[in-house]
Amino acid sequence: MHNSSSDPLRGMMLMAGCMFVLPVMDAIAKYMATVGGMSPGQITFYRFFFQLASVLPVLIALNGMAAFSARRPWLNLLRGAIHGAASLMFFMAVKYMPLADVFAIYFVEPFILTAMSALFLKEKVGWRRWLAIAVGFGGAMIVIQPSYEIFGLTALLPVACAFLFALYMFLNRAIGEADTPMTMQTMAGIGGTLFMGAALLIGTSAGEADFEISLPNSATGFGLLLLLGAISGYIHLLVVRAFRMATLSVLAPFQYFEIIAAVALGHILFDEFPTPSKWLGIAIIVGSGLFILWRERRRAAPAQSIAGAG
């Protein structure tokens, strides 16, 4: 049942727009790492710090100090820390790999989440969806295999990111509706910033180049990092708004628009373009993901009218 703000068409348009804009954030991260010479760890820290700095005045203006009054503060901070770790893995991957490859491999996340739901939450997952998960991972292997030969274990970073983001989604379920989206966004920003601050200190003391602490070396770099944080904060708030207008099953397929935007940005900015075999892998991943969404929707429909169906 939708609330009074239900507007599926506007929700779909908003979600589609957000999915086209979000990869700009990752293109900025790749540019700052490859051209700006900034470590992925430092970029990730700035992503959460400037996200918090850009949205906090708006959150306080709308909610006052209630933006900080989380009923489950530690779970929210942990959620932010896990999001920080996932973003770090993603930004490390885009430093070394083509944008489209990283996005394509990352989209095994719905398969991981479905498998975790079956294994840990005992949700019923039939053989068709298990088959779709296996086929989807097969598609990811088609994308990973040539990247692995070139980049080694770095090619597995998007898989690690997908796993961490699946955990992040699990925590969203655990927190449920105990806290408002505004409060969750605020606490996640704090958690991500604190986590990345600690990761930077530990990584730098260990002499890891991907955690080198630095400041932007130009006004352009500073502006791009501000934009990175603003996109992260405000686009995710708009995604929350989209989900208030339309259901998950309606909006979820639009997440694959990110791959289209990533291919375009990679080609325009970094002269990257997927090979035919990688296009095949991307098609398999997207097809398997859409099949799982379709099965979820079919399974949910009778459950609304027949208790215990599924």
Side-chain angles (χ1 to χ4, degrees):
M1 189 130 177
H2 297 313
N3 57 32
S4 58
S5 64
S6 175
D7 189 342
L9 182 59
R10 283 185 64 191
M12 287 187 284
M13 291 174 65
L14 184 58
M15 186 71 170
C18 289
M19 293 304 102
F20 275 121
V21 173
L22 272 176
V24 172
M25 182 175 73
D26 305 296
I28 292 172
K30 185 177 180 73
Y31 176 86
M32 291 302 297
T34 56
V35 179
M38 185 171 282
S39 71
Q42 184 67 78
I43 295 166
T44 311
F45 172 82
Y46 283 135
R47 172 230 197 271
F48 283 93
F49 179 79
F50 286 127
Q51 170 189 327
L52 193 60
S54 64
V55 301
L56 202 54
V58 176
L59 298 181
I60 292 174
L62 292 173
N63 292 71
M65 297 312 290
F68 299 95
S69 59
R71 293 183 183 178
R72 297 179 178 176
W74 294 109
L75 267 180
N76 270 297
L77 288 172
L78 176 61
R79 172 178 168 271
I82 291 173
H83 196 185
S87 297
L88 174 62
M89 298 292 178
F90 200 94
F91 287 172
M92 287 175 69
V94 298
K95 175 182 177 180
Y96 300 104
M97 297 169 59
L99 272 176
D101 290 24
V102 177
F103 268 96
I105 299 167
Y106 164 75
F107 273 108
V108 300
E109 184 270 331
F111 311 142
I112 295 173
L113 186 58
T114 301
M116 289 174 71
S117 298
L119 296 173
F120 299 112
L121 298 182
K122 305 304 180 186
E123 293 183 4
K124 185 178 178 182
V125 176
W127 67 268
R128 292 178 184 86
R129 277 187 290 167
W130 280 117
L131 180 61
I133 289 170
V135 171
F137 272 108
M141 290 304 107
I142 293 174
V143 180
I144 289 172
Q145 193 268 331
S147 297
Y148 186 82
E149 290 181 0
I150 300 169
F151 305 109
L153 291 175
T154 301
L156 299 180
L157 283 173
V159 179
C161 172
F163 177 76
L164 287 169
F165 199 77
L167 282 179
Y168 168 81
M169 297 298 287
F170 254 70
L171 277 182
N172 285 353
R173 291 187 182 184
I175 294 170
E177 297 182 0
D179 295 306
T180 66
M182 294 290 191
T183 298
M184 291 173 72
Q185 183 81 347
T186 304
M187 298 301 289
I190 294 171
T193 303
L194 291 174
F195 172 83
M196 283 312 306
L200 273 177
L201 291 174
I202 294 169
T204 300
S205 64
E208 290 291 333
D210 282 337
F211 291 86
E212 183 182 350
I213 296 175
S214 63
L215 292 170
N217 57 14
S218 67
T220 300
F222 184 77
L224 286 172
L225 291 169
L226 277 175
L227 180 60
L228 174 66
I231 290 173
S232 172
Y234 287 104
I235 292 297
H236 282 100
L237 286 176
L238 289 174
V239 168
V240 170
R241 182 163 178 78
F243 277 109
R244 289 179 175 177
M245 296 178 179
T247 61
L248 173 64
S249 60
V250 169
L251 296 183
F254 287 93
Q255 67 186 325
Y256 293 107
F257 281 20
E258 284 192 88
I259 295 180
I260 299 171
V263 170
L265 287 169
H267 184 58
I268 294 167
L269 299 177
F270 307 107
D271 198 26
E272 303 167 347
F273 200 73
T275 61
S277 66
K278 288 180 180 178
W279 275 118
L280 174 62
I282 290 170
I284 291 171
I285 293 167
V286 172
S288 300
L290 291 175
F291 178 80
I292 287 176
L293 287 169
W294 177 71
R295 290 296 302 178
E296 287 276 3
R297 194 171 183 178
R298 280 199 63 184
R299 181 173 157 273
Q304 294 174 355
S305 57
I306 304 173

